[in-house]
Amino acid sequence: MEVNCEGCAGCCIDWRALLEESRGTGARGSMADDEARRDPVDADANFVPLTRDEIRTFLERGIGEALTPRFWHAADESEAVTIDGHEIAAVADRPVFFVGLRKPPKPVAPFGREAETWLPTCVFLDPTTLQCRIHGDDRFPDECGAYPAHNLALEQETECERVEAAFGGERLLEASVDGDPETLLLGSQALGGKLFCHPDPDRLEGTIERLAAGEPTREDRATCVAVAAASSPGTLAVSEHHREWARERLLGAQDETDEEATGEESADDAWVGPAIREWQRRYARADDEVPSAAVAVDVEEARGAPETPGWECLED
């Protein structure tokens, strides 16, 4: 597998706004089978599902605010649970969901564009270099490292190919995949490991509607992330002890007033929640003005975000 990622980050950004007409977004973060395709409730084009163990690591490191759930519309009535007027895909009457990474608006200029544009961008992507701030460390999700191999294994179009079609250039340089990637997790092996079942559909009233509107609350995210962290791979079981621990870790990790983090959090990790909220504030006040991507130094790095090396450091 060989890809050309410099100046791209197409798999980390929802770049559809750069096109006059939105293109289809394929299977990344979708739930599909041979008979039906289930559309997600939210509108994220590049949703990256994390495993239960990765979710627990994020919570332990105090960066649970980087996480958000994804639910799907049911393919038919036999698998549906009705919540907020939506027919939600479920297993054993339990709504199923992924947990992935949030995309606050950031000023970015991918694909060789000269000017920045406000686009939904992965919380860990440095807008200046278009590199991942956690690449190569123990927080970097397996799904990110396996992309685009997973799409190729599923015989789905990759983001590399979509970028090539829309903006030109060569991104997917070599497309062979040997066997099935070990981290793909399909079918029953995904249950409780990457695909989670919420045991209390009534607690999702209001949550589904807000997810559909792109406005989930901190409590909405915590309710789902806690279930995922407390799930047992291969089963429907949810540990109440781990569920309460996870909920407290997320809700107590950082105060909404952006006060200095305390407790187990490290200075390197405590930047995530405040940076997301600052990006959201700046976007709301922007009034169609787009700042330089270099403002990320103040928004992220000044709060403790790890710097990225730049592409020149990776050249042979």
Side-chain angles (χ1 to χ4, degrees):
M1 178 63 56
E2 185 179 359
V3 292
N4 173 25
C5 297
E6 183 174 355
C8 181
C11 56
C12 310
I13 297 171
D14 185 349
W15 47 267
R16 291 174 296 177
L18 298 179
L19 301 180
E20 292 183 0
E21 296 182 0
S22 296
R23 295 177 178 267
T25 56
R28 195 175 195 202
S30 73
M31 186 170 66
D33 56 32
D34 293 337
E35 298 180 353
R37 186 176 191 84
R38 300 162 183 85
D39 294 325
V41 169
D42 64 89
D44 189 345
N46 298 322
F47 196 91
V48 178
L50 274 62
T51 66
R52 185 206 64 173
D53 291 346
E54 289 170 337
I55 293 165
R56 288 185 176 182
T57 295
F58 271 52
L59 291 168
E60 289 166 355
R61 299 289 293 273
I63 48 177
E65 287 195 270
L67 305 174
T68 192
R70 157 166 282 185
F71 291 82
W72 297 271
H73 295 290
D76 56 59
E77 294 182 357
S78 66
E79 66 173 30
V81 171
T82 303
I83 306 174
D84 293 338
H86 296 268
E87 298 296 308
I88 302 300
V91 171
D93 294 326
R94 298 184 176 202
V96 294
F97 63 98
F98 277 163
V99 171
L101 301 177
R102 295 171 68 187
K103 287 188 175 69
K106 299 185 186 183
V108 291
F111 322 133
R113 294 174 61 88
E114 295 183 358
E116 286 87 350
T117 304
W118 285 109
L119 294 176
T121 301
C122 178
V123 59
F124 294 114
L125 190 77
D126 177 359
T128 306
T129 62
L130 297 181
Q131 290 177 319
C132 178
R133 295 193 186 277
I134 61 172
H135 185 272
D137 75 15
D138 62 349
R139 295 164 294 177
F140 188 63
D142 285 343
E143 185 74 16
C144 295
Y147 194 79
H150 282 182
N151 270 38
L152 292 169
L154 293 170
E155 299 183 347
Q156 299 291 329
E157 186 180 29
T158 67
E159 207 66 27
C160 306
E161 293 167 302
R162 297 186 191 106
V163 169
E164 289 174 348
F167 303 103
E170 295 183 355
R171 296 296 175 183
L172 186 63
L173 304 181
E174 191 268 323
S176 64
V177 178
D178 297 328
D180 295 328
E182 294 182 1
T183 58
L184 192 52
L185 290 181
L186 294 175
S188 60
Q189 64 178 324
L191 199 64
K194 186 167 72 174
L195 181 68
F196 308 105
C197 300
H198 201 294
D200 305 312
D202 290 345
R203 294 187 65 174
L204 295 174
E205 293 290 342
T207 294
I208 299 299
E209 192 60 42
R210 287 186 288 271
L211 283 168
E215 300 174 347
T217 66
R218 203 178 189 190
E219 177 66 32
D220 293 333
R221 295 192 299 273
T223 296
C224 299
V225 170
V227 168
S231 295
S232 179
T235 75
L236 298 177
V238 174
S239 164
E240 288 303 319
H241 168 75
H242 286 95
R243 184 176 180 178
E244 186 60 27
W245 167 83
R247 189 172 183 279
E248 290 180 0
R249 284 296 297 169
L250 196 152
L251 292 179
Q254 293 167 328
D255 189 84
E256 288 288 357
T257 60
D258 288 358
E259 293 179 357
E260 183 176 349
T262 59
E264 300 176 52
E265 298 164 16
S266 71
D268 286 342
D269 291 341
W271 65 274
V272 173
I276 290 175
R277 292 190 287 276
E278 180 62 16
W279 283 126
Q280 292 170 334
R281 284 192 289 263
R282 288 182 180 237
Y283 177 67
R285 299 194 304 257
D287 193 25
D288 296 328
E289 295 292 327
V290 185
S292 165
V295 74
V297 172
D298 296 326
V299 177
E300 298 180 351
E301 292 174 20
R303 287 181 165 87
E307 296 182 13
T308 53
W311 293 100
E312 64 279 1
C313 295
L314 303 180
E315 295 176 356
D316 293 332

